Each structure stands twice: as C-alpha cells, then as structure tokens.
Amino acid sequence: MNWGVFQGLLEGVNRYSTAFGRIWLSVVFIFRLLVYLVAAEKVWSDDHKDFECNTRQPGCTNVCFDHFFPVSHIRLWALQLILVTCPSLLVIMHVAYREAREQRFRETKGDNYRCIYPNPGKKRGGLWWTYLLSLIFKACVDVVFLYIFFRFYRNYTLPRVVKCELPPCPNVVDCFISRPTEKNIFTLFMVVTTCICVVLNLIEATYLIGKRCHECQQAGGGDSRRHSHDTGTDPVSIDGQVFHGADYRLHPAAIPLTASCPSMLSKDEAGS
C-alpha cells in the first residue's frame, strides 16, 4: 500500500467533511481499519487450518467448515470497509470536478469572468446532495453488513464446539474452532464500532438537513421583509389609531373640513 497516496486521500476527506464527518473518519481509520490490518487478519489466519473434527473421513472437515463459515469474517470486513469508504472518495471527485470546471472557464473567459464556484468545497447545490447521499449510503452499507453477520453468526458469537452431520461425515461429529474467545472479542469490537459509525452518519445527515432548512427559512424571512419594505406597508397613524397596509384609504368622515381640504357644500348649505 502506498501510504503517501492514502494520506492524501485522508486529508481530502477530512478537508471537506463536517465535525461529525471528521469523528467518523477517525473511528473508521483507527478503530476499524488499523485494527483490521494489525490484529484481526492474524487472528483469523488459522481459522481453516486449525478447524478440527473428530473424524478422519475425507472431506468431512471441509464440508463442515464451509457450512459453519460460509464467508470469512476477514473478507466480509474487507468488503465492508471498501464499500463504506468509497462514497467519501466520490465527494472528493465531485470537488475536483468543480475545480477543473472553474479552471476551464477561467481559461476560456480570461481574467474578467464571473466565478461559477467561489468556493468549490462549499456544500451547496449538487455537492450537498452528493455528500448527503454518501452519508445515507454508508449508513445503509453498515446496517446491511450487521444483518449479514447476524444471519451467518448468530448473536455475533462463535461457539467452541459445533456438531456436524453433513455428508460425507459418517455420523454426528464434533468440530472445534480455534481461538473462539479471541475471535468473539474482535467480532463484538467491530460490531460496536460499526454501530457508532452508523449513529455518526445519521447525526451528520440530520445536521446537514437541519442546517439547510434553517438557511432556507432565514432566506425566506429576509425576502418577506424586503417585499414589505418595497410595497410600502408602513403603519399609518390617524387620531391615535394605527392602520397597516399599502391599500389603506381614509374614510371620508375622518377627513376634516379645513382650508387645506375645502368643503364641497354650497355657501347656503354651509351657513345652515
């Protein structure tokens, strides 16, 4: 593995993630990936070699091992980590696409051009949807693999002894799993860290949606205030009464008969 390239990818994911995304990245890298590479692979390296059954019938041990271990923990975890980390790389690719498009536009229009993306890494428009869908996808992948582990290995634990009666075994034979306690500890550890990652993904998705709704609400409030100012709906006060609305009209009885507002009556009618 080229650790320089891997470090560059981690820096890119960390740069365009929220605070919850950085916590998720730390949990995946430290408590899942490193534990998988350093310890878990060695624990499961002898699972088939040290799986023994109390019979010498040819093929019985292999058939029983395939029945109780249809897919190795290590291969399932490797596939899970690949599927979980790929969506984060899609976010980096989306940002790189924005930057490349901005560069091509600058070269075409020259220096006097209007920026398409003032901040390519800002989660707006398509990038916001890419980031949100990546969170949902990662959470779904972890949940699916939790279900797969539960179906294959009941309660995420391995027994010390399993009984097998599949052909070509001559009768019911006892088969012994190597280091079951150590494997159970690592399995439960990976399950707990996976659940933590699911919770972090859901919290981050909720945070993104809530923040977006709050921004839209603020933008809508600002537009309504600007609209009320432009239409001139300032309050009108007459004789201590306050009236609102641009279409307000004074009642004729409220208009005083003064020189500034001459009467429409005749002199005789006015004198009477």
Side-chain angles (χ1 to χ4, degrees), residues 5-17:
V5 176
F6 187 71
Q7 182 181 1
L9 293 176
L10 287 178
E11 291 178 354
V13 174
N14 186 67
R15 185 183 306 117
Y16 304 119
S17 298

Side-chain angles (χ1 to χ4, degrees), residues 20-113:
F20 297 106
R22 295 186 183 96
I23 297 174
W24 176 87
L25 182 63
S26 301
V27 173
V28 170
F29 179 72
I30 298 175
F31 296 103
R32 295 177 68 177
L33 183 59
L34 288 183
V35 170
Y36 170 81
L37 294 175
V38 174
E41 279 189 321
K42 295 181 180 179
V43 174
W44 268 268
S45 61
D46 57 352
D47 55 348
H48 185 271
K49 181 180 63 176
D50 293 341
F51 183 82
E52 298 179 353
C53 298
N54 57 356
T55 181
R56 293 186 178 275
Q57 179 69 28
C60 179
T61 302
N62 291 333
V63 170
C64 293
F65 181 84
D66 182 71
H67 175 72
F68 291 106
F69 300 96
V71 183
S72 173
H73 287 66
I74 294 299
R75 291 171 179 83
L76 277 178
W77 282 331
L79 181 60
Q80 181 181 4
L81 289 173
I82 291 173
L83 293 178
V84 163
T85 54
C86 281
S88 299
L89 302 181
L90 291 178
V91 175
I92 299 177
M93 293 173 62
H94 196 152
V95 176
Y97 164 76
R98 282 186 164 190
E99 293 175 347
R101 186 180 178 188
E102 184 76 19
Q103 181 66 26
R104 289 196 303 269
F105 194 76
R106 183 186 298 111
E107 294 175 355
T108 303
K109 301 296 182 179
D111 295 334
N112 298 325
Y113 77 102

Side-chain angles (χ1 to χ4, degrees), residues 147-210:
Y147 176 76
I148 292 174
F149 273 104
F150 181 80
R151 292 288 297 176
F152 285 169
Y153 311 104
R154 187 66 61 181
N155 297 327
Y156 306 109
T157 57
L158 299 175
R160 290 181 171 84
V161 182
V162 292
K163 295 185 179 297
C164 180
E165 53 182 351
L166 299 173
C169 298
N171 48 32
V172 178
V173 298
D174 294 331
C175 297
F176 304 92
I177 301 174
S178 65
R179 297 189 284 189
T181 303
E182 188 175 10
K183 291 179 179 179
N184 286 333
I185 292 174
F186 275 99
T187 301
L188 293 177
F189 178 82
M190 297 296 280
V191 168
V192 171
T193 54
T194 301
C195 293
I196 293 174
C197 290
V198 172
V199 173
L200 288 173
N201 286 327
L202 296 179
I203 291 175
E204 188 174 10
T206 305
Y207 167 76
L208 283 178
I209 296 174

Side-chain angles (χ1 to χ4, degrees), residues 30 39 75 79 107 124 146 152 186 195 210 214 224 241 248 257 267-268:
I30 298 175
R75 291 171 179 83
L79 181 60
E107 294 175 355
R124 289 291 183 274
L146 285 175
F152 285 169
F186 275 99
C195 293
H214 180 68
S224 63
Q241 296 182 353
Y248 173 75
L257 300 178
K267 295 181 178 180
D268 298 335

Side-chain angles (χ1 to χ4, degrees), residues 195-264:
C195 293
I196 293 174
C197 290
V198 172
V199 173
L200 288 173
N201 286 327
L202 296 179
I203 291 175
E204 188 174 10
T206 305
Y207 167 76
L208 283 178
I209 296 174
K211 182 179 179 181
R212 186 61 175 169
C213 292
H214 180 68
E215 291 175 353
C216 293
Q217 185 178 8
Q218 284 186 335
D223 292 340
S224 63
R225 287 192 296 269
R226 285 193 298 270
H227 177 71
S228 62
H229 178 72
D230 295 338
T231 54
T233 57
D234 294 332
V236 178
S237 176
I238 299 177
D239 294 336
Q241 296 182 353
V242 179
F243 300 90
H244 297 271
D247 297 332
Y248 173 75
R249 296 292 184 271
L250 291 176
H251 193 274
I255 303 177
L257 300 178
T258 61
S260 61
C261 184
S263 173
M264 301 298 293

